[in-house]
Amino acid sequence: MTWRSPLAVVRDAWRSQRAREKDLRNLVSNLPYEGLEKAKQPNRYFPGNAIKTTKYTLLLFIPMNLFEQFHRLANLYFVGLAILNFIPVVNAFQPEVALIPICVILSLTALKDAWEDFRRYQSDRKLNNTPCLIYSRKEEQFTERRWKDVRVGDFVKVFSNEIIPADLLLLHTSDPNRVCLIETANLDGETNLKQRRVVPGLCTMDPEFDPESFNGVVVCEKPNNNLNHFKCYVESPDKEKVGAGIESLLLRGCTVRNTDHAVGFVVYAGHETKSMLNNNGSRYKRSRLERRLNIDVFFCLILLFTMCLIGAVGHFVWLQALPSVPPYLVPDSKGHLDSPALSGFYMFFTMIILLQVLIPISLYVSIELVKVGQIFFITNDIDLYDEETDSRMQCRALNITEDLGQIQYIFSDKTGTLTENKMVFRRCSIMGNEYPHKENAIRLNILEEAESEDEVLFNQRPQPSQTGWSLDAEDTKPGDKHHHPGIQRKSKVSGNAKGDVAFSSPLETEVIPDRKLLQQISRPEFRIGSRQEKEPYMDFFLALAICNTVVVSMATAQRRRGSWFMPSSSTNNPLDTMSTWMKRASRIFTCWRRKPKQKRAEDSVIEEDHFNASVIREETEDVNGLQTCSLHALSQFKKPALTSDNVRYEAESPDEAALVYAAKAYGFTLLARTPDSVTVRLPSGEDLVFEVLDTLAFDSNRKRMSVLVRHPKTGEYVLYTKGADYAIMELLGTPYAEHLSGSQKNIAAETQYFLDCYAKEGLRTLCITKKVVSDKEFESWSVSRRKALAAIEKREELVMDTAVQLETNLSLLGATGIEDRLQESVPDTILALREAGIQVWVLTGDKPETAVNIGYACRLLEEEDLVINMSCKNKLNCTSILDCTLEEVRRYSADPRNVDTTPDISLVIDGRTLAMALSSDLQSRFVDLARRCRSVLCCRVTPLQKSKVVKVVREKLKVMTLAVGDGANDVNMIQAADIGVGISGQEGMQAVMASDFAISRFKHLRKLLLVHGHWCYSRLANMIIYFFYKNVAYVNLLFWYQFFCGFSGTAMIDYWLMIFFNLFFTSVPPIMFGIMDKDVSAEILMGVPELYRTGQGSGEYTFSTFWISILDAFYQSLVCFFIPYLAYQDSDIDVFTFGTPLNTISLFTILLHLSIEIKSWTVVHWAIMLGSVALYFIVTLAYSAICITCNPPSNPYWILQSQMADPIFYLICIITTVVALLPRYMFHVLRNSITPSPLLQARCLDRLNSCERDLFIKEWRGFRGGGYVKRSRLSTPPSPTLETPMDNSPQSPSASDILEDEFVLNVITENYQGPGHTKDSLVT
Amino acid sequence: MVKEEQPESVNRPDNTAFTQQRLPAWQPMLSAGIIIPGFVLIGLAFIGIGVALFVTSRSIQMLEMDYTGYEQNSPCFKCSDESVKNCMCNLDFNIDTLFKGPVFFYYGLSNYFQNFRRYGVSKDLDQLSGDMDAFLDPTSDCAPYQYDGNNKPIVPCGAVANSMFNDTFKLYQIVKGVKKLVPLDGKGIAWWTDYNIKYRNPTVKPLKNAFNGTVKPLNWPKPAYELDPSDPANNGFINQDFLVWLRTAALPNFSKLYRRITEGDYAEGLPAGNYSLEIAYNYPVLSFDGRKKVVFSNVSWMGGKNEFLGIAYLVIGSMCVVMSIVMLIVYAKFKFPEED
């Protein structure tokens, strides 16, 4: 390194800062500058690719860590006490001794931090040293370097199945279509393949890409953490700009799939990559219990000060009362005695030191430990494990487990949360004709039944052959398909147990065509253009096949997944460490099977997802030798081997896949998709290749997407659009049917009718339209489109504007109804949650009709509920509706007829009304109304409204809220609630990333809340109360002694033993109590959800329980002090010999007190309790045998030994312990006998055998709930599949009522449409 | 308990009784059904222990006499004035029946806070365990009894040593008007470990030389190596009286063992008759409202006389029995959930 003037260094730093802060970056290739010194490098201002997630450096660890730790108030308290002890006039112990607690705590924490940091360092180093290929001009080829050597402006080559080292702008791929497929599972958990394409303007079609020929300037935006947006353009030397977006960016951490190799230009490296910017540590939330706890700690502080004040005043009075100077009063070193007032003042501080343990500082450490243990058990619960996705419950927030036991409101998303988000094509209407697809419905029904049966029988049946479902799926005739769906289902479970590929079950992929519709399109004369009236049918299916972003791959292509360490998130919490250990241990067992693994993946856990074993070997070679013989779906498309049978579709949104499969069922098979073309096979066997001119992607504002293609036959530009009905209906131009001869029906109106019917059935609806764009229109549009794409500023708006510009005058082809089935056990779960006293709200973006139906299906709404439907268009109406509804509801609940029954009022409200109701003046009225409703259903709400609802309810009602959702639109809501639960489903991981807990099925919520929530809460609450008790009881012994030693701050217990008492002898049992105590068994908690109510509100941890336990502590300490005092009065006992029985007694009292509280004793309990007692005696005996003259003034030598030789010692211990615990014991006994709490009754149930228990639970619930009759009536839940034809109840409002009325206030009791009620004449 | 044979899923939690929280557990139910017999048993046991303790404590003979000289008619009244030096007084008493031996002779102080924090700290254990370095440089804990006015180190330093109790007693039995000295045994009154292990004299012979350059505590009439002229092994830091005093009392009213009566005619105890206790009254206590007393007592397996423990056991035992009756009534009145 040459010497540089400091000025230059400063200037350079300033420049680099400015370069990084600029909104636009100009990046050029590094190649011309290769080998030059750093100051000449054009991209020197941007950080390299080496990452460093460690907090500390080796040298600065101690000061930095100490600085960090002293941010905690508790540690400052300790330090303050230690310093206080160094002041001679106030010290209570040897000054050095007072340093022990703070040193122990600081060093333990430092050790933990150091360990975590070291692990981060290790994972950083591993990542930084991962090999990769960077182009070198000197060697004129890609040379192997390390990830840390990658710089902005380099050219990096990645091979199939490799992880991308930095954010790369894709410049070249081996694929002839210039695309590269990536899997972003490491970033967001989405396992479907995503297509990235080469920056459009740079079409070098050569098989080998020469980086030296790249001479453009890449202008890109400042790095940000948005994974779905990227803006940049490439400016060639002749000033021509080519825009590129996220579709050309390969993100760091993603894996290249099915693409032989790709070359990219590094735009962001290291900490500026999108994946690193997204990498936030785990979140910190403070639980409600902890907030309460802090108040009580404050009370303890007051108590401490009171006691110290008593000590100080006592000392003053005692000194005042002395007639002259007695021989035991020691003056200071100069022989001078302080005045009583001054001594009293000093004594105050001495007392603080002496009684410091009263503030349970160790409580915080213990709570953390307890939570780690609780989380360990939650994540290890096999009932919360999902077989299909091989995922267990995840706790992302580490310190709010006990909040799970106090939930009062649940806000749930619908799609993907209550439902599977596995879309199944159910029915469609084309040109105003309905095709009900009855066979398909039957198949779905049978499949569902078979599925549940299959799960029961699964273990007994022999394993089916490994032949994939998709190979024989089409071979079986539709007629006999439903005879063995069970077997197919099974093969799915066994052959594809990982389930990481979405939409692969036969349920979704197979659609049985409607016979009528099939006849319609398969008539022999049906050819393109042959007859005009067939054309809309043709277009409809073409639209289904084309208008999407589905990626086609081969069913037989294997995919390998390597889980890649996200550097900091994996090491941030102690639980991860724990589970890593567990994993490591288990890996010892399994590693012999995994020996032949590729070199690079040693750090990652590899899952092989294969269809047949032989492929693996191939693949292993592939990675080792970097030679490729993999089966690339795309490269094989042109080969004749490709059949329509073994294509597999991977879609970002499940309904797209459902539509493509539906089209396939009718013979319109999507064969291939490249950025520029779509190949569709027609029923006739003919392959049509459409040139794709543009794709107008879906966004939530437009609620639609379009694809603009050029028809290969007619050569005209066709725009296919699909979208939500209300978004489409406004854009319709002249009805398509108008030019049809003869029939002049209004297709739009017909279709709208069917759409409403679909919605009532709970189906998701989509409208499909077509538009023929004239050449001239296209020309002018494409110019503005290109401009918009190359823009950097306001790009989103411009792009959207161009999309809106084109999507006008659409002609309606038809509509589809897609069923999104409820997840298993959703109705049971919701019912159980409601019995547990939790109000369930469902917030959905769906139409009210769809939502209401799903509401009935999942038992959110009951048939005899009073359903209030609120929908209004202006605020005035809204106010009046709210007022009179509220009045109505009040009257209803005040009605004497309804006193006995719980007022089951449900509210259905739509987004627009909700927005008004949530405005600040109506808020309180709305909340008041909602509070009285048993369940609330909000339809057509936006993500922002979802979070607003949660916030309003949470703040207005001061209740504990939980939000559960699975998609990006739920993130706001999840973050607004006290507890956010993410469902890791089909929609990626954004919800999970934002959540505190992640589950894989909605039904898991039941056990999570009812069992784990209850346990965690009651365990922690009891442990905290016990902790307070423990400290007060122990410290008060010292306090009472002050009355007998002139308030001089003498401790009669050796200080080491005092520290050990808290640190070792009595610390483990409460922690174990907090982790493992089980008041009621899981079965009972699941069976009797009402038990959950005990934790709601303030639950077991209330003001009174705290003070009762403090009073008990006072009583016990009085007993523990005064019985030995009276027994040893007037004797020759010395200070520390007197303290020994006191210490022993309080050990027994404190531990036995805990054993009264412990509800169930396992081996672990016994071991820890007996171990603690044994430890006390062993340590104390050893200490008093070794310590002859150490630790003055206490003379522990041989004291316990001499005491243990004295029978009086034992007699005192026995009687004191008994007297101390008698009141609490009696209290428990009497309370249990006279007014047994529900929990106690439940515990009694636990002791019965399972058969009796079930009987008892039934009876009991009937008795307690007061609604037994009602529940039994409901015990056969209405089938969620909508196939039982029933009459439409006359008073049910039709869809048009809701849509067109100024406002509707439907207060309909009893016979409001049930889930199956809406079946109408269409079925037949 | 592990059911899993082939771990096909990496994330699958272990299905063990521990991780699934299904360990077999004992769930005690605090209900009267189990409690009543338990209470009766505990109550009876306690009553038994209580009776034994009470009877034993009753059988212990104890004689306690205050000699502070606070009252005018007290024999030691003249000595209670601090200005009187080397005051002697006699305390006469008589014993009706044989005071069974071995008789323990205690002196007692009340309102004396040996447990005062700064008092208890004020000694140098290094010094007391014979460390010669600590002779010349006592610990600062001893201040202000660390150095004397001439800056010479005090050995043994500190307030505890300085304030050592220095009344001495001689007990005479008056047989036919003649005073007969009752032999008092001063050996073995301190803890064995204190005498043999914890406190040590320096190995210098003669002991006196070890104390060169040091001064005796201010209040002491004689230096440490001359505490017991009769027995050379009872001098220095292992003087039994000194050791007894060093074991600072836990409570402000305490008694400390002075001598035992185990020898000669009195091995069986003190026979009935008149006795006279000759007290060399040196220790001032009135400055802090203190009292001095002498106590003669014999001991049993439970130590000295203390009726409290026996009574406590009796009371608690009977309470348990009463409680079990109460619970029986409760039991009869309320059905218990488990009995349903």
Side-chain angles (χ1 to χ4, degrees), chain A residues 796-809:
Chain A
E796 282 85 26
E797 288 126 80
L798 288 173
V799 169
M800 200 177 114
D801 286 347
T802 56
V804 171
Q805 213 181 318
L806 195 62
E807 289 164 335
T808 51
N809 287 324

Side-chain angles (χ1 to χ4, degrees), chain A residues 56 60-72 75 102 106-107 110 113:
Chain A
Y56 309 108
L60 287 176
F61 175 75
I62 289 175
M64 279 170 79
N65 187 258
L66 283 180
F67 179 74
E68 195 104 314
Q69 289 203 39
F70 284 132
H71 278 290
R72 276 188 218 157
N75 289 338
I102 182 72
L106 288 182
S107 54
D113 290 349

Side-chain angles (χ1 to χ4, degrees), chain A residues 91 1041 1078 1127 1195 1211 1233, chain B residues 21 117 198 250 306 313 336:
Chain A
N91 68 349
Y1041 190 57
K1078 202 156 90 174
N1195 305 311
L1211 289 174
S1233 306
Chain B
Q21 308 192 56
R117 180 168 53 88
K198 199 163 165 182
N306 188 337
Y313 264 98
F336 290 100

Side-chain angles (χ1 to χ4, degrees), chain A residues 890-910:
Chain A
R890 283 203 186 110
R891 208 169 52 229
Y892 182 81
S893 42
D895 194 328
R897 279 174 302 167
N898 296 325
V899 166
D900 297 336
T901 59
T902 42
D904 291 342
I905 304 167
S906 304
L907 180 69
V908 179
I909 187 165
D910 75 357

